[in-house]
Amino acid sequence: MQQAQTSTQKEKVGIGAWIALIVLILVLSGAFRTADGPIKVLDFTNLSGTFGQIGDTGANLIGSGGTGAKDGFMAGFNLIPAVMFFCGLLGVFEQLGAFKASDILFRPLLRPLLGIPGKCGIAFISSFTGSDVAAVMTRELYESGDITDDERTIFVAYQYAGSACINNTITGGAPLVAICPVALGPCILIMVLCKLIGANVVRIILRLRRKKA
């Protein structure tokens, strides 16, 4: 009886936690990436900054036309500032109770869809626009004991296929949008559906392995 009361108290979150969750989802969703005015600070990419960009040529810190180990190193090095900034941002929103609100909000969705807890909801949202941020969050969830090894495997299977599908489709696939006979929205929905199917295939395999063991 006492354990039930304790768990109920843990699940109760205040209005501040829900506001923090809404703000964090907006920041990671990319909804305000192309916004004008002060509201554009509600996007993680805008908050990370555009250091290294040169005019309209599209060049950045990574450079252009490079190949080999140097190009790969600079690509990885370019992620460090954004990941460091996100880790600090994550700590702030965790203290505000955003993770507790996320667990309550996303539990009815993620548990039947992927078999993972609701605390993965923020990483689930961020995986649509960025693979590096979602990867950091998944690692944090596993190391803190919020998800098991099997749940991490299922979640990684979902993220890895069609990584950052919205961001990569809009940016990398922009030249194909004009000639594609299907609208952009259905293309993204098909990718998300395939990601869910792939993750559940891994989920079934893990379940069968547990039964054999």
Side-chain angles (χ1 to χ4, degrees):
M1 185 68 178
Q2 291 179 352
Q3 291 180 351
Q5 291 177 351
T6 304
S7 61
T8 303
Q9 290 175 356
K10 287 182 179 179
E11 290 183 356
K12 287 183 179 180
V13 294
I15 187 66
W18 289 105
I19 294 174
L21 175 62
I22 293 171
V23 172
L24 184 57
I25 290 175
L26 290 175
V27 168
L28 298 176
S29 66
F32 297 98
R33 185 173 183 179
T34 57
D36 295 325
I39 197 173
K40 68 181 182 180
V41 299
L42 287 176
D43 180 74
F44 178 74
T45 303
N46 294 332
L47 285 171
S48 299
T50 55
F51 175 80
Q53 292 186 350
I54 304 174
D56 298 327
T57 62
N60 53 35
L61 186 63
I62 301 175
S64 60
T67 57
K70 290 183 178 179
D71 189 44
F73 175 81
M74 292 308 297
F77 183 76
N78 193 48
L79 295 174
I80 294 177
V83 172
M84 290 178 63
F85 170 66
F86 175 74
C87 287
L89 194 68
L90 195 64
V92 173
F93 280 96
E94 185 177 4
Q95 292 298 319
L96 292 174
F99 276 8
K100 295 179 181 179
S102 170
D103 188 22
I104 297 173
L105 179 64
F106 288 100
R107 189 187 308 160
L109 174 66
L110 295 181
R111 184 59 73 181
L113 276 181
L114 294 171
I116 57 178
K119 287 188 176 181
C120 298
I122 299 175
F124 179 78
I125 294 295
S126 65
S127 67
F128 288 107
T129 55
S131 56
D132 48 348
V133 171
V136 171
M137 290 194 64
T138 304
R139 178 181 176 181
E140 292 282 343
L141 289 166
Y142 176 71
E143 290 182 347
S144 62
D146 292 320
I147 57 175
T148 64
D149 186 48
D150 284 353
E151 290 170 343
R152 178 183 61 169
T153 303
I154 296 168
F155 197 23
V156 168
Y158 168 81
Q159 294 180 43
Y160 186 76
S163 177
C165 57
I166 294 179
N167 190 43
N168 289 333
T169 302
I170 294 174
T171 55
L176 301 176
V177 173
I179 62 174
C180 183
V182 183
L184 189 62
C187 290
I188 295 176
L189 288 177
I190 291 171
M191 282 187 281
V192 173
L193 179 62
C194 292
K195 286 162 65 72
L196 291 172
I197 292 173
N200 277 282
V201 169
V202 174
R203 182 181 177 185
I204 293 171
I205 293 172
L206 291 174
R207 183 174 296 178
L208 292 175
R209 288 183 61 182
R210 284 199 301 270
K211 287 183 178 180
K212 288 182 180 180

